[in-house]
Amino acid sequence: RKNKNVSLMSLNCFLFRQNSFLKIFLNKNNHEIKAIIIHTIECILLSILLPLKYRRLIIYVFEGLGRVFSSRLILYRLIKRIVIPIYEFSFKACKFVILLNSSDAAFFAELGIIPIRKMRILPGTGIDIDLIDRSINYERSKAKFIDFIGRMIPEKGYIPFIYIRLNLLEYFPDLAKKYKFRIITPQSYIKALSNEDKKYLKNIGI
């Protein structure tokens, strides 16, 4: 992008795997580094090796908490203990940290990992409710749904969602009839379900 003073160019550096990378913005005229954008946990951990003058140019981007912070497995809890001090050290010097929602921001703030003054919220996911309302007819709009939206992995909470449905069927059958449950997930997770699992979910009204 160009502005009145500086013409910038970007350089992608891939580490370990294709989606593990950092983006470096350079002044096109003298190749001076103006900003470094870091996306993945591998790059975040390695960024502590950079000289301080470069760490002050870093903008970290979190596209979710990730399994290290959301999983209850012992392995990830141990990794979390190692990662948190490194994160705290990294975020002290950086420009700022971009998060996709206020829940993640509150999570990091409560743990004291990221100073509130350095956090920026840039919503990157979600659905356009108005667009959906315009695309369905009146009869369908009268139906009421309770949706789970996300990948079907334990860390995302789809198992408690299923048990909520089971509890409604057991203790509040009238509510269970009134509200329909849906799981909205990538097609790959649906294909991974066995026919028995699909039949079971359909039988309990999901």
Side-chain angles (χ1 to χ4, degrees):
R1 295 184 306 173
K2 294 183 177 180
N3 58 34
K4 293 180 180 179
N5 302 314
V6 180
S7 179
L8 297 178
M9 66 179 183
S10 64
L11 174 67
N12 288 342
C13 301
F14 294 94
L15 301 172
F16 306 120
R17 54 194 172 91
Q18 187 67 16
N19 62 345
S20 173
F21 69 94
L22 56 88
K23 185 183 287 285
I24 301 173
F25 287 90
L26 305 170
N27 184 320
K28 217 169 188 178
N29 299 320
N30 58 18
H31 290 176
E32 178 188 359
I33 296 177
K34 307 301 291 185
I36 302 171
I37 297 179
I38 292 180
H39 290 261
T40 56
I41 186 171
E42 299 98 322
C43 295
I44 292 173
L45 297 178
L46 287 174
S47 68
I48 65 172
L49 302 177
L50 292 174
L52 180 60
K53 70 174 184 176
Y54 294 123
R55 287 195 282 118
R56 286 174 174 164
L57 300 174
I58 292 176
I59 299 169
Y60 292 106
V61 180
F62 277 90
E63 299 175 354
L65 292 178
R67 294 184 182 180
V68 171
F69 288 96
S70 60
S71 177
R72 297 178 181 177
L73 295 177
I74 294 176
L75 173 62
Y76 288 112
R77 288 184 182 182
L78 293 174
I79 295 174
K80 180 176 161 183
R81 288 180 177 270
I82 299 170
V83 165
I84 285 179
I86 298 175
Y87 274 14
E88 289 175 342
F89 178 79
S90 300
F91 300 149
K92 282 180 182 178
C94 73
K95 270 190 173 182
F96 51 84
V97 181
I98 295 176
L99 301 116
L100 299 188
N101 58 72
S102 56
S103 296
D104 290 355
F107 175 85
F108 283 118
E110 287 171 357
L111 288 179
I113 297 174
I114 307 174
I116 293 176
R117 69 181 184 278
K118 288 197 173 185
M119 287 192 275
R120 307 288 188 275
I121 298 174
L122 182 66
T125 56
I127 56 176
D128 188 334
I129 296 175
D130 293 332
L131 180 62
I132 292 174
D133 284 343
R134 291 193 297 268
S135 67
I136 59 178
N137 59 42
Y138 175 74
E139 290 300 320
R140 284 191 62 192
S141 68
K142 291 195 296 185
K144 293 181 174 63
F145 296 98
I146 297 176
D147 294 337
F148 168 88
I149 303 175
R151 289 173 291 156
M152 289 184 70
I153 57 176
E155 292 88 347
K156 293 296 183 180
Y158 84 94
I159 294 176
F161 180 80
I162 292 173
Y163 275 101
I164 290 171
R165 179 64 184 174
L166 292 173
N167 283 335
L168 278 180
L169 289 169
E170 179 72 22
Y171 301 108
F172 305 98
D174 292 338
L175 280 177
K177 290 178 182 178
K178 184 178 180 181
Y179 295 98
K180 299 179 180 180
F181 277 47
R182 298 184 300 189
I183 293 178
I184 302 171
T185 191
Q187 190 67 29
S188 57
Y189 290 92
I190 297 174
K191 289 180 179 178
L193 292 172
S194 66
N195 290 332
E196 289 81 4
D197 286 339
K198 292 177 184 176
K199 185 177 179 181
Y200 173 75
L201 291 175
K202 187 175 182 180
N203 288 339
I204 64 174
I206 296 180

